[in-house]
Amino acid sequence: TIMVVDDSPFMQRLMAEMLASFGVGKVMTAAGADEAFQRMETRAPDVIFCDWQMYPVDGLAMLRRLPSAPPSEARQFDAPGLIMVSVGILAVLLAVMLPPDSAELSWLIGIAAIAMCALGLFARHLRRHPHGSVIDIAFFVDPALRAQAIIVLASALVMYTSVTLVPQFLQEIHGDGVVQSGLVVMFAAIGWVVGASVGGQLLGKHGFQVLNTIGVAALGGGAALLAAFSKDSAIAIGYVSQVLIGLGIGQVSIASLLLAQQSLPAARIGVATANVQLLRNIGAVFGVNVFVALAMHGLSRRADELGGVARQAAELASLEAGYHRSFLGLVVVVVAAAPWLLAIPKARAAKEQVS
């Protein structure tokens, strides 16, 4: 990444076009020192071309204000940031999964306070170490990366929730055996591999936005099939839903990795890759814990009021309703993530000038 700092718009365009003709894929421009430092908060350039005579801060004064070794921060392991994020996520999960009982209100308030404190400390930590934190600040301030992060979270949530709940649904509600239920994971894995392979070919022709759109559409189609899945449906519907969800996350995964890697400087490619994987893990954790709790919510209370055959029937009906509640929730997640597709760049990053 090369940054051109010049108070002349003409010189900015001229330098950017000349560098592009030499094969430079990423060129940042700034009209002065203040704008340059503001843009370096999100992306640190590898090389800076700076005009000598600028007002109010000239080129020499700007270069003197540059940090001595900014890339070194990104190479350090951010243990404090990781602890803050982990504690915050764990507290949020506990707060969400607590039963809605007035007796648990004090626990809920305490856990919510811990979550807010941990995440607040992480926000302060992120401002102090924008490129050395466990999650790079670019994923929060850059519109394209922020949108991609949300889509990654949603896709992982749908994928890992479905491969957790669907085998249980097939055994407990649909009446299938262990082998038939276990095939769900295989079909999802096949879809993921095929989606990533096809996505790699489509990305070069159609860009990040189209690939993400196809992925989100496949995720939505799979989630919609699950929402309509019942004990009387053919098991093939469950398998098709998993193939679609696998195709969706396969395409989103390849697009998210390449967009993140091509949006950050070469020195932070490893950070970009690790951040995408971390976001995927966060989505998986939230999906499995929250949606499994949603599926099981209210099961024991309804059954305790009955006995014998009536209790067994009530348990089965409550469990089926819980599964459908969770499957419908997956549809809501995909619909909520879809508008963020508008912030994903359409063109291939290799041809873009990142500003």
Side-chain angles (χ1 to χ4, degrees):
T1 302
I2 295 179
M3 173 178 279
V4 176
V5 184
D6 200 304
D7 54 2
S8 168
F10 171 76
M11 288 303 299
Q12 289 181 39
R13 291 194 300 270
L14 180 63
M15 288 291 294
E17 291 174 0
M18 182 180 66
L19 291 170
S21 68
F22 292 154
V24 176
K26 297 181 181 180
V27 180
M28 304 166 63
T29 59
D34 292 337
E35 183 179 352
F37 284 114
Q38 182 179 3
R39 298 199 174 193
M40 279 189 276
E41 287 294 320
T42 57
R43 293 184 181 90
D46 300 301
V47 179
I48 298 177
F49 287 100
C50 183
D51 185 18
W52 186 272
Q53 296 181 341
M54 295 188 299
Y55 180 83
V57 180
D58 61 33
L60 184 59
M62 173 190 160
L63 295 178
R64 286 173 177 167
R65 289 168 52 187
L66 286 174
S68 57
S72 63
E73 183 186 45
R75 299 191 184 100
Q76 300 175 1
F77 177 67
D78 182 31
L82 183 60
I83 293 173
M84 295 173 197
V85 171
S86 301
V87 171
I89 292 174
L90 179 61
V92 170
L93 286 173
L94 290 175
V96 172
M97 296 173 65
L98 277 176
D101 193 328
S102 58
E104 304 290 345
L105 183 59
S106 59
W107 280 95
L108 181 61
I109 294 175
I111 292 173
I114 293 174
M116 293 177 63
C117 181
L119 296 177
L121 287 173
F122 175 71
R124 181 173 178 270
H125 176 76
L126 184 62
R127 287 194 297 270
R128 296 180 62 184
H129 307 279
H131 303 305
S133 178
V134 64
I135 302 178
D136 196 284
I137 196 172
F139 283 87
F140 296 94
V141 299
D142 182 84
L145 284 180
R146 183 169 59 238
Q148 187 68 76
I150 292 173
I151 293 173
V152 168
L153 288 169
S155 64
L157 188 151
V158 173
M159 173 68 178
Y160 289 98
T161 300
S162 66
V163 296
T164 301
L165 289 181
V166 173
Q168 298 178 17
F169 179 88
L170 291 177
Q171 290 186 63
E172 298 173 353
I173 305 300
H174 205 260
D176 297 300
V178 175
V179 175
Q180 293 93 330
S181 302
L183 288 175
V184 165
V185 179
M186 184 193 72
F187 280 109
I190 291 174
W192 191 329
V193 172
V194 173
S197 300
V198 175
Q201 299 176 10
L202 293 177
L203 183 60
K205 297 180 180 179
H206 303 290
F208 295 109
Q209 188 179 58
V210 171
L211 191 59
N212 274 285
T213 301
I214 296 173
V216 170
L219 288 165
L225 284 178
L226 288 180
F229 196 39
S230 69
K231 61 182 179 182
D232 299 321
S233 302
I235 193 173
I237 296 178
Y239 293 157
V240 172
S241 72
Q242 294 308 288
V243 172
L244 286 174
I245 290 174
L247 287 170
I249 195 172
Q251 305 215 25
V252 169
S253 64
I254 193 71
S256 59
L257 279 173
L258 290 176
L259 178 60
Q261 291 172 353
Q262 296 182 17
S263 297
L264 296 180
R268 303 210 309 277
I269 286 180
V271 174
T273 305
N275 283 179
V276 172
Q277 184 60 48
L278 176 62
L279 291 168
R280 188 179 298 137
N281 291 340
I282 292 174
V285 168
F286 268 96
V288 172
N289 287 274
V290 174
F291 282 83
V292 168
L294 183 64
M296 304 302 170
H297 173 64
L299 175 62
S300 60
R301 291 187 179 183
R302 294 181 183 180
D304 287 342
E305 299 173 357
L306 302 171
V309 178
R311 176 174 179 172
Q312 186 177 11
E315 284 182 344
L316 190 62
S318 176
L319 190 59
E320 183 177 5
Y323 280 124
H324 283 123
R325 189 164 51 239
S326 293
F327 294 154
L328 185 60
L330 298 183
V331 177
V332 173
V333 168
V334 176
V335 171
W340 291 94
L341 291 167
L342 298 175
I344 302 293
K346 298 178 181 179
R348 289 179 292 180
K351 293 185 178 180
E352 288 181 344
Q353 289 187 355
V354 181
S355 59

